[in-house]
Amino acid sequence: MSTSARLRDRRVTLERRATASKAVRTSLVSLAGLVGGPVTNQSGDEVGRVVDVVARLYGPEPYPPVTGLILRIGRRRTFLPADAVGKFQAGHVRLRTARVDLRDFARRPGEALLAKDVLDHQLVDVDGVQVTRAADLYLAPLVDQVVLVGVDVSLPTLLRRLGPRRWQARPTPERVLDWQSVAPFAEQATEGPPEVRLRASRTALHRLRPADLADILEDLGRAERQQLLGWLDPEQAADALEEMEPAELENLLREAKPEHAARLVDEMEPDEATDALRDLTGEEREALLTRMPKGEAAELRRLLTHREGTAGGAMTTLLVTARRDATVADMRALLAEQVEHRTEVDAVAVVDDEGRVLCDIPLFDLAVAEDTAPVADLVTWRAQFGPPVTVHADTPLSDAADQLVAARASSLLVVDDGDRPLGRILADDLLDALLPERGRLHFRRFLQ
């Protein structure tokens, strides 16, 4: 999708958000102002106090509908269904009828207690790509029901809540985030089936890049971090884990259940998975490897035998190879099968009948070649530039970096003593290994 098309779609999305409506913004009701406020009947007599507001947080609706209130009546805490409420007002609730059906509260799948589970808890601002806290939540009438439409994350709102009661009920709509731009974490609200709770949060989170998700995972608390990982597809989660700082990734894998951690590591690229496993203790590492498919576990164990700081210790075993008798079309078909690993493949290794490397053909050369061109012709053409630059598994990374720079390439093949390819070491992996202290630049955090 072009940049202009993405901007157009984003503009349409923003215009459809409830908080873009002036009518909604002028009718906002502060949750912080409601909690502790009176509930009155039609005659204006107080019948109880608001303890919390219950909403279907993880349902199919874009804005969670309020399903009821938890009231304190004397020493009793009871549930008031939403259809008994006549009007939510600043600081108090007015009932629809004089006779009220008060029930014992039992949380239903997908429901959350907004004050207990969401207010003052961490959430993800998807538009701003940051972790923040809900200083206040805003309710508003929408169509024929009261719904949760926005979140206030500003410091002045926290200060407002510390002030007199008359200040607490005043919403600040200029600081509101639309509910559709956030992903909340309400641990007690996840008792419903996964497909229900995923509708609300995953639709927003799937827009984020792996590096953005990595930033968010690093900023979240332990419980919220594991909940977010549970929302993501294993492939998407693995991509984010590959972008995390090593220390943060180490902590995350230790916090996760071994079965889940093993699945995440299994989805990572082999070189990234190896780096992650190296940072764990032998016992922790074995606990994950024994829970992986045997083939993948064996491959990772083999990679772990290579010393850190060598080409073998930083290489990926993901290789695309071809024979001289293939055509360019055949090679493109092989590449198409590896589309999910496109960031790990920048060339195709051509090998002879004994599996020895003859040539390493960059993707650019394949892109400009005719489909019907024989690979043998490309091998002959590349020969004018000299033999392919390769390193052995025990080559120090500093020497591999020198060869990479001299070859003006973006990767090097790692070969055994018989010149058979073992793996490929990419330029970015060399940087990660040689400059581990550089970290990733967190401009967003700096600006916070």
Side-chain angles (χ1 to χ4, degrees):
M1 183 183 292
S2 67
T3 301
S4 59
R6 286 196 299 270
L7 292 174
R8 184 170 59 253
D9 288 349
R10 178 167 173 75
R11 184 169 61 250
V12 171
T13 300
L14 290 172
E15 288 172 352
R16 289 175 179 172
R17 289 181 174 175
T19 50
S21 165
K22 184 177 179 180
V24 170
R25 293 173 74 86
T26 56
S27 61
L28 295 177
V29 176
S30 163
L31 174 73
L34 276 182
V35 174
V39 179
T40 60
N41 58 24
Q42 289 178 310
S43 302
D45 299 323
E46 182 177 320
V47 298
R49 293 268 168 172
V50 177
V51 174
D52 214 326
V53 176
V54 184
R56 189 165 57 248
L57 197 64
Y58 296 107
E61 303 89 352
Y63 296 98
V66 171
T67 57
L69 304 174
I70 295 179
L71 307 183
R72 178 179 290 110
I73 301 177
R75 295 183 178 181
R76 182 185 174 194
R77 290 164 62 100
T78 189
F79 177 70
L80 176 71
D83 57 13
V85 177
K87 190 174 183 180
F88 286 87
Q89 296 173 301
H92 76 278
V93 174
R94 188 182 183 94
L95 299 181
R96 187 185 303 276
T97 63
R99 301 185 62 180
V100 179
D101 177 17
L102 298 176
R103 313 170 185 172
D104 291 332
F105 174 65
R107 190 194 301 261
R108 292 170 292 189
E111 285 186 333
L113 277 63
L114 297 183
K116 177 183 177 184
D117 299 332
V118 184
L119 189 64
D120 295 323
H121 285 62
Q122 287 185 316
L123 51 82
V124 176
D125 173 6
V126 179
D127 285 349
V129 193
Q130 62 180 330
V131 176
T132 186
R133 288 185 181 271
D136 200 356
L137 302 176
Y138 293 136
L139 311 174
L142 198 64
V143 189
D144 58 349
Q145 58 188 346
V146 175
V147 299
L148 174 58
V149 295
V151 184
D152 193 329
V153 297
S154 63
L155 178 60
T157 295
L158 286 174
L159 299 177
R160 163 171 64 84
R161 288 171 53 191
L162 297 175
R165 175 74 190 173
R166 65 180 181 275
W167 291 1
Q168 296 175 14
R170 295 178 182 176
T172 50
E174 66 278 1
R175 302 188 184 102
V176 67
L177 297 177
D178 192 276
W179 183 256
Q180 291 193 65
S181 72
V182 302
F185 298 96
E187 188 175 358
Q188 299 301 320
T190 59
E191 297 172 352
E195 62 270 16
V196 172
R197 64 177 185 267
L198 284 179
R199 289 193 193 106
S201 296
R202 191 167 146 197
T203 51
L205 291 168
H206 85 279
R207 303 196 306 263
L208 299 181
R209 299 176 304 147
D212 293 333
L213 280 173
D215 283 339
I216 288 170
L217 286 167
E218 291 172 4
D219 287 345
L220 287 172
R222 177 175 180 173
E224 291 83 3
R225 180 151 61 183
Q226 294 303 320
Q227 190 172 1
L228 173 56
L229 285 175
W231 284 343
L232 302 173
D233 288 328
E235 297 85 356
Q236 187 183 16
D239 288 343
L241 264 55
E242 292 173 3
E243 299 290 336
M244 291 183 68
E245 299 288 357
E248 293 288 349
L249 176 56
E250 180 183 346
N251 290 335
L252 184 148
L253 293 177
R254 287 190 170 125
E255 294 165 1
K257 293 180 179 179
E259 293 79 8
H260 192 205
R263 187 177 181 189
L264 291 173
V265 173
D266 182 39
E267 291 290 343
M268 295 171 70
E269 298 295 348
D271 55 329
E272 300 285 356
T274 303
D275 288 342
L277 291 172
R278 284 188 200 279
D279 293 331
L280 302 177
T281 66
E283 183 178 347
E284 292 168 338
R285 188 161 53 240
E286 202 54 36
L288 299 189
L289 288 169
T290 55
R291 288 171 168 82
M292 293 182 195
K294 291 183 178 179
E296 286 80 350
E299 181 66 16
L300 291 177
R301 284 194 173 95
R302 186 173 71 81
L303 286 172
L304 286 165
T305 62
H306 297 292
R307 290 184 296 111
E308 200 168 3
T310 64
M315 71 180 179
T316 176
T317 54
L318 184 64
L319 290 171
V320 178
T321 60
R323 299 295 179 93
R324 287 173 56 94
D325 56 358
T327 65
V328 169
D330 295 333
M331 297 176 76
R332 287 176 177 161
L334 290 174
L335 289 169
E337 295 173 1
Q338 301 296 332
V339 64
E340 62 181 297
H341 303 291
R342 59 187 177 275
T343 59
E344 300 290 303
V345 179
D346 69 343
V348 176
V350 181
V351 297
D352 62 17
D353 293 339
E354 282 73 41
R356 294 178 298 226
V357 175
L358 296 173
C359 183
D360 199 25
I361 303 178
L363 296 189
F364 180 84
D365 290 352
L366 289 176
V368 298
E370 297 288 342
D371 279 351
T372 57
V375 169
D377 288 354
L378 289 180
V379 173
T380 302
W381 181 77
R382 290 288 304 178
Q384 66 181 306
F385 303 109
V389 181
T390 61
V391 294
H392 289 90
D394 58 355
T395 299
L397 283 177
S398 57
D399 293 347
D402 290 340
Q403 294 194 50
L404 184 75
V405 172
R408 301 179 68 117
S410 58
S411 69
L412 294 174
L413 282 173
V414 182
V415 298
D416 62 15
D417 292 337
D419 278 340
R420 288 177 290 269
L422 299 173
R424 185 179 294 278
I425 182 166
L426 303 167
D428 66 318
D429 293 327
L430 272 174
L431 284 174
D432 286 339
L434 293 174
L435 303 172
E437 73 282 355
R438 83 191 194 286
R440 286 182 287 111
L441 298 178
H442 296 277
F443 292 111
R444 172 182 56 76
R445 294 184 190 174
F446 178 75
L447 292 173
Q448 281 183 325

